[in-house]
Amino acid sequence: MLKIFQFIVDWSEVWSLLIPIAVLLLKKQPVGLKLVVFYVWTALIINLAIDMVWKFRTILPAAYNSNNFLYNLHSIIRFYLFSAFFIHLNQPFLLTIKKIIPVCFTVFIIINFTFYENFFDYWKLSSRLLSTEAILLLFYVLQYYLFKINDNAATRITTSDFWITTGLGIFVALNFFIFLLYNELTLRFQNFAISLWSIHNISYVIFNLFIAKGFYESGR
């Protein structure tokens, strides 16, 4: 039973995305959610590649049996799509800062992978990249809630952007310290680090459930 549960958790980065995709197939989404829709389909392709490389790493050529760069790629795509999602919401609160952050993130990527880390590092994913992405997305989430609190107009919390933002907030809040410390943990406490990644996978399921709820609400 434990092995079955672990197998389900190990593949959750793939199958959990089928939940919002199922809603997409049933309900046409508004233009305002096109960035999130694009993320879901892109994440499915990348995560499928991640898990396939991981599961078949023993039979793949040595140059192709590491999936770390795919996690880095996923992190970058997720940040740009969701930052654009927040920028395009009808929320003028801190809009200038929200527009500057992607520029700063781009500069960070260029400097980090030019001078400090290898994007295609065989042995480790970029904890620096993933934790930076998480903290910046958490800023977007918090400013979203601050705008809602300060908004004088009565606002339904059951809007699609509310559910998607909440799911993203749960995901990045739970994973910030995992991302930040993961490489150090793999060096010192490898088994614990592997077990800790299951929290990441479970939080990703929660994230996709909230995205599916957002898609459902937008199609009502």
Side-chain angles (χ1 to χ4, degrees), residues 78-218:
R78 181 168 55 218
F79 172 79
Y80 281 123
L81 289 176
F82 278 100
S83 63
F85 167 74
F86 285 109
I87 290 169
H88 286 92
L89 288 176
N90 186 25
Q91 294 185 348
F93 181 63
L94 299 178
L95 184 59
T96 301
I97 296 176
K98 287 189 285 187
K99 289 182 176 179
I100 292 174
I101 287 176
V103 178
C104 296
F105 186 71
T106 302
V107 173
F108 159 75
I109 291 173
I110 294 171
I111 294 174
N112 184 59
F113 290 113
T114 300
F115 299 104
Y116 299 104
E117 292 186 312
N118 179 4
F119 185 85
F120 298 95
D121 194 311
Y122 182 88
W123 299 107
K124 60 186 178 70
L125 51 78
S126 175
S127 287
R128 188 179 292 128
L129 170 65
L130 270 68
S131 57
T132 300
E133 177 226 351
I135 199 66
L136 291 178
L137 288 180
L138 188 58
F139 166 79
Y140 280 110
V141 170
L142 293 176
Q143 66 78 34
Y144 172 90
Y145 288 129
L146 285 174
F147 174 82
K148 290 294 187 183
I149 292 170
N150 293 320
D151 190 8
N152 291 325
T155 306
R156 292 171 59 243
I157 67 168
T158 55
T159 56
S160 57
D161 53 86
F162 171 83
W163 291 109
I164 292 169
T165 299
T166 301
L168 179 64
I170 293 171
F171 176 75
V172 295
L174 286 175
N175 285 283
F176 171 70
F177 287 106
I178 295 177
F179 292 154
L180 185 65
L181 303 173
Y182 190 73
N183 285 335
E184 286 297 319
L185 290 174
T186 55
L187 292 174
R188 303 172 187 274
F189 309 100
Q190 187 174 21
N191 291 334
F192 175 69
I194 293 172
S195 300
L196 198 62
W197 198 254
S198 294
I199 297 177
H200 164 272
N201 288 356
I202 293 170
S203 69
Y204 196 67
V205 174
I206 296 171
F207 179 29
N208 281 298
L209 286 171
F210 275 83
I211 292 177
K213 176 64 174 174
F215 288 165
Y216 178 80
E217 291 295 333
S218 68

